[in-house]
Amino acid sequence: MENERPMWIDKSKLKEIRDNIRCPYKLLNSLGISISKDTEHEIWCLSPFRNETKASFKIRKDELIWFDHGMNEGGGPLELIAKLNNVNIYKAGRLAVDYGLTSAIGLVNSIKPRPIQKKEVKKEKNIIELPKKYSLVPYLRPYHPVITQRGLSQVTCEKLRFGFLPMSSKSNLKGRIVFQIRGVKEVDSELKPTILTHIGRAISEKQETEGGKWRVYSGFEKKSALYNIDNVLLSSQVTSQVEKYGLVIVEGCFDVAKLYEAGIYNVVSTLTASLSDKQIDKIEFIQSKIKIPEIKIWFDNDEAGKMGTQKAIEKLKGFDIPFRPIEWNQLKSENKKDACDFSVDELKQFRQLGLI
């Protein structure tokens, strides 16, 4: 029936769910935990609970018992789901069913997810719902293997308002690395930040195939926004760097994050390999509020990025702010395709040399 309530999970059903979670790889994948080392009896991973470079989280293959050496805590699969999603053990049991982790077919059929209202099917698999203006930031976790492997810290996550959105979220961006995109509006001569939307980056090839590399809400145009414009105009630390070094324009959110990690804050992202007229209008708005001595274009080191750079140069001709592309051949960029591929030390050196 349309309004049928889902069956309550009691202790016996909870035990049945626990006993039927048998694949460690499926468990780890569903929680977005990447494997660092796979041995005969154990799997080692970077801890999903904090930022680290050496794996201290392990799970036994036979019993699916996990232990995190960094916090001296462990448990079974349901305890792991509960801790990662900040829910009780019964909710963790339902999440395990929703994730498809249990092999008990009868159990899956008896515990049905709460019915949801049917929505119109979108033509683009990565376009979902309407733009979300409320903040998802309180629900984002700064510690996730995808974030850690990119060399990004909790501080950077907090400054730029991004992180991993747990699978327990009701948002269609759940299970992805989510960035909050903000703009700036002027009210009574005062600049105020405003939430435009959130976008979510896939954390696995399977997720990318099924839902797109980036998921965005319908009604939001990437070419109408500049990621990090809010900090450029509202943070004195960022504003001072813009006035000293100019404005660096990159493609992606992760490029901005890696530059932030290196202490380079005078940067915005176009979210695509192009610079639109609307984004140029936003740069002019920035210039009307603070002095931009120079614009530096640093799109990706691929065909789309190179073509986007050339088109951006043509659009900026006649602009009253000096501009130049950042030359990849000056950056010792072998096997590197975008700004976030460089280490923090390399980025700091580029700043010292005046390259960025």
Side-chain angles (χ1 to χ4, degrees), residues 136-156:
L136 292 176
V137 171
Y139 309 101
L140 302 181
R141 291 198 292 106
Y143 296 131
H144 186 275
V146 170
I147 296 173
T148 304
Q149 289 162 10
R150 289 177 176 266
L152 303 175
S153 65
Q154 180 179 357
V155 172
T156 294

Side-chain angles (χ1 to χ4, degrees), residues 16-121:
E16 190 175 354
I17 292 172
R18 185 190 299 275
D19 292 343
N20 281 278
I21 300 176
R22 298 169 180 170
C23 180
Y25 302 103
K26 193 172 183 179
L27 173 65
L28 294 172
N29 183 64
S30 69
L31 297 174
I33 301 175
S34 301
I35 296 173
S36 296
K37 184 180 179 181
D38 192 348
T39 67
E40 183 179 357
H41 301 293
E42 297 175 335
I43 299 173
W44 286 84
C45 310
L46 294 176
S47 174
F49 301 110
R50 64 184 167 280
N51 191 0
E52 65 179 13
T53 57
K54 185 178 180 180
S56 64
F57 176 95
K58 71 175 181 179
I59 183 168
R60 289 189 58 83
K61 293 182 178 180
D62 52 356
E63 302 172 305
L64 266 68
I65 299 298
W66 61 275
F67 188 80
D68 190 301
H69 290 270
M71 61 183 186
N72 197 32
E73 187 175 339
L78 293 185
E79 286 75 17
L80 179 59
I81 295 171
K83 189 167 185 64
L84 281 172
N85 290 281
N86 194 28
V87 297
N88 63 38
I89 201 70
Y90 292 96
K91 177 63 174 177
R94 179 167 296 285
L95 288 174
V97 173
D98 293 343
Y99 295 167
L101 295 176
T102 177
S103 58
I105 303 301
L107 180 63
V108 173
N109 291 335
S110 69
I111 305 177
K112 298 179 180 179
R114 191 178 300 276
I116 59 174
Q117 186 177 1
K118 292 184 179 180
K119 298 178 180 179
E120 181 183 354
V121 177

Side-chain angles (χ1 to χ4, degrees), residues 205-219:
E205 291 183 4
K206 180 176 183 292
Q207 197 177 56
E208 184 174 334
T209 300
E210 294 177 350
K213 184 175 182 179
W214 286 93
R215 295 200 85 179
V216 299
Y217 289 111
S218 62

